[in-house]
Amino acid sequence: RRTVLKGMGAGLAASVLGAPMIARAQSAGTIKLGFVTPTTGPLALFGETDGWAAQKVKAMLKDGLETAAGRFDVEILIRDSQSDPNRAAEVAGDLILNDGVHLLLPASTTDTVSPAADQAELNECPCLSTGAPWQAVIFPRGGQNEPFNWTYHFFWGLDEALNTFVGLWNTLDTNRKVGMLFPQNADGETWGNNDYGLPAPTQKAGFEITVPGFFQPRTNDYSAQIAAFKNAGCEIVGGITYPDDLKTFINQCAQQGYKPKAVTVAAALLFPGGVQALGPLGDGMSSEVWWTPAFPFKSTLTGQVSREIADQWESETKKQWTQPLGYSHAIWEVALDILKRAANPLDRTSIRDAMVETRIDTLIGKVDFSSGPHKNVSTTPIFGGQWVKGETWPYDL
């Protein structure tokens, strides 16, 4: 009996000790991904869908990722930029230098993407980003003169967005006078740029513009801007603001008797919550449209079409779909496609080389870095839209 038990014990010990060996043989290593998004702060609405999509991908990757180089475990490190460019740079640098991520994924807004991308370029870490007009991410960082080695971005361009704005305004019967509203930050400086911002195509299309001083974000007084627009007789207001700023501006317009025929601003009017916050004044507001459930595109990760992703979001969160949802999903489609193709997904140079070769149809359309207007850019579709009173929700786009 002792001999039998001894034999059984030896076999059991061997099997217990052998189990980790089997697990290690199955995985070729752990790929680390660093995801930076504004979870808190004034830009948190932009990052609201990022966390939801990231958790879906985490669940999808619980058994690892099959790549050309074998099966790898994947660790996703999520960091909050706190809507602050300095914080975005800090957490991106920490992810690259201390956590040793193999791929950096900054998403949602210029204030998060650009500082994170700068850290990636500086420290030679591949970086895939989205959620900001490509000119705002490329030009202020010096990409106008020389392309980047490590940072690639997919999103629509300011030129397409501006033509969308002008196209909307051309459908209206107005005196063709436009007041322009820009914040004193990276987005305002890009949208308000006289060479490639909103003023140029607006004037080219025959509109007269009024550009008062740029406002400080989170200000509580727009009297100077409103007075300038009233004095110039502007029947249209265009520009870019964040939701809280637009709410203050619109309420002060009403208080001061200024009633433009159209208000078309980027960012603030993306979100149903931002429009609902305006109350009855939200009806008829217009905005750029990044993505909607009406897009015919299908996810390469789940096989779901845009409508199904939006329905899943609404069912699980009890909130209305928002435009960044498509991009929150698509960044993972592109990132995982890059890792699957990389010769060695634990090597940053190998990942960068695979990123350069990206050609994939995603939930937001085609991402192809060989066809962009810039070496580091792939452009995506953009449309114009208007908020009207809804049935299921207070307003529908």
Side-chain angles (χ1 to χ4, degrees), residues 260-311:
K261 290 185 177 180
V263 176
T264 311
V265 300
L269 292 172
L270 290 174
F271 306 101
V275 181
Q276 289 166 28
L278 300 175
L281 296 173
D283 190 22
M285 292 285 170
S286 46
S287 171
E288 83 277 24
V289 178
W290 305 6
W291 172 87
T292 88
F295 270 27
F297 309 124
K298 183 186 289 189
S299 165
T300 56
L301 299 180
T302 67
Q304 293 167 293
V305 294
S306 295
R307 178 76 262 173
E308 291 170 323
I309 296 277
D311 287 347

Side-chain angles (χ1 to χ4, degrees), residues 56-263:
K56 298 290 181 199
V57 172
K58 274 189 174 183
M60 198 180 300
L61 296 173
K62 68 182 190 305
D63 295 323
L65 179 70
E66 291 292 342
T67 78
R71 191 188 70 79
F72 290 80
D73 293 325
V74 180
E75 184 180 357
I76 299 173
L77 305 174
I78 301 175
R79 299 290 184 265
D80 180 9
S81 70
Q82 298 175 2
S83 303
D84 182 330
N86 294 323
R87 178 65 179 170
E90 182 184 333
V91 296
D94 188 57
L95 285 166
I96 296 165
L97 298 172
N98 297 325
D99 291 306
V101 298
H102 300 100
L103 175 62
L104 189 70
L105 303 167
S108 304
T109 73
T110 309
D111 279 351
T112 293
V113 171
S114 289
D118 277 341
Q119 289 296 312
E121 195 68 28
L122 178 67
N123 295 296
E124 299 187 343
C125 177
C127 173
L128 174 74
S129 57
T130 190
W134 70 261
Q135 291 94 336
V137 173
I138 299 294
F139 292 168
R141 296 173 49 229
Q144 205 164 6
N145 303 318
E146 191 175 337
F148 302 109
N149 289 320
W150 296 92
T151 51
Y152 286 76
H153 186 77
F154 68 97
F155 205 62
W156 43 263
L158 205 55
D159 45 347
E160 292 102 337
L162 305 180
N163 287 331
T164 295
F165 278 33
V166 173
L168 288 170
W169 298 336
N170 271 328
T171 67
L172 299 172
D173 180 19
T174 68
N175 62 5
R176 300 181 73 79
K177 293 183 178 181
V178 182
M180 299 207 163
L181 196 61
F182 302 117
Q184 191 72 56
N185 61 16
D187 280 325
E189 288 162 15
T190 304
W191 283 77
N193 185 284
N194 285 321
D195 295 326
Y196 53 81
L198 187 57
T202 306
Q203 289 175 300
K204 188 177 178 182
F207 291 87
E208 187 180 318
I209 68 170
T210 297
V211 188
F214 288 18
F215 67 87
Q216 284 298 324
R218 316 286 284 183
T219 188
N220 57 8
D221 185 9
Y222 291 89
S223 299
Q225 285 81 8
I226 293 170
F229 297 160
K230 286 172 74 174
N231 290 340
C234 297
E235 292 186 345
I236 300 169
V237 173
I240 181 169
T241 72
Y242 296 137
D244 288 350
D245 290 327
L246 182 68
K247 181 181 177 181
T248 305
F249 172 77
I250 292 295
N251 285 335
Q252 290 184 6
C253 285
Q255 291 162 7
Q256 297 176 32
Y258 176 50
K259 298 177 181 177
K261 290 185 177 180
V263 176

